[in-house]
Amino acid sequence: MIPALTLVIGIAAAGSAQAQSAAAEGQKIAFDRGKGNCLTCHVIKGGDLPGTIGPPLADIKSKYPDRNDLVAIVTDETKRNPLTVMPPFGRNRILTEQEINAVVDFLQTL
């Protein structure tokens, strides 16, 4: 029988590994010029040839402590700000819900 504490630690470690994997996938999508293409408009640590149309993406978790707010922005910022130039990645099916969640996982590491 596995002691409860060992089981909890094992589950937490697996969850952490999944979060790191999702964040790594999100970074790949965000930096992909044919997919997320976030670097076209934003400065992101580790990204090459960033644009300056949008704000630098840093300290995201402190700026958006509610993950759902960030998901909503990436999905369709026009709902919150009709004058935005940010593409509605979810509404226009540029990214899937899973891809948006991976990008948000990555953004929350910045």
Side-chain angles (χ1 to χ4, degrees):
M1 185 157 114
I2 301 173
L5 182 57
T6 302
L7 184 59
V8 168
I9 291 170
I11 291 170
S16 176
Q18 286 176 336
Q20 287 176 346
S21 175
E25 180 62 23
Q27 180 179 16
K28 197 164 105 178
I29 294 165
F31 287 4
D32 184 335
R33 297 287 181 178
K35 197 69 173 162
N37 205 16
C38 302
L39 287 167
T40 294
C41 298
H42 300 279
V43 172
I44 305 172
K45 182 180 176 183
D48 294 327
L49 304 171
T52 57
I53 295 168
L57 298 180
D59 300 319
I60 298 297
K61 202 162 189 170
S62 65
K63 291 175 186 172
Y64 299 99
D66 184 345
R67 185 180 195 287
N68 294 324
D69 291 339
L70 198 50
V71 169
I73 289 168
V74 176
T75 299
D76 187 359
E77 173 62 355
T78 64
K79 287 182 177 179
R80 193 175 76 138
N81 176 5
L83 301 177
T84 187
V85 295
M86 183 157 167
F89 288 95
R91 187 186 80 207
N92 286 355
R93 298 185 183 139
I94 299 166
L95 299 176
T96 66
E97 186 176 334
Q98 182 178 354
E99 290 169 327
I100 289 170
N101 279 300
V103 169
V104 168
D105 288 339
F106 164 62
L107 294 176
Q108 289 190 309
T109 69
L110 300 176

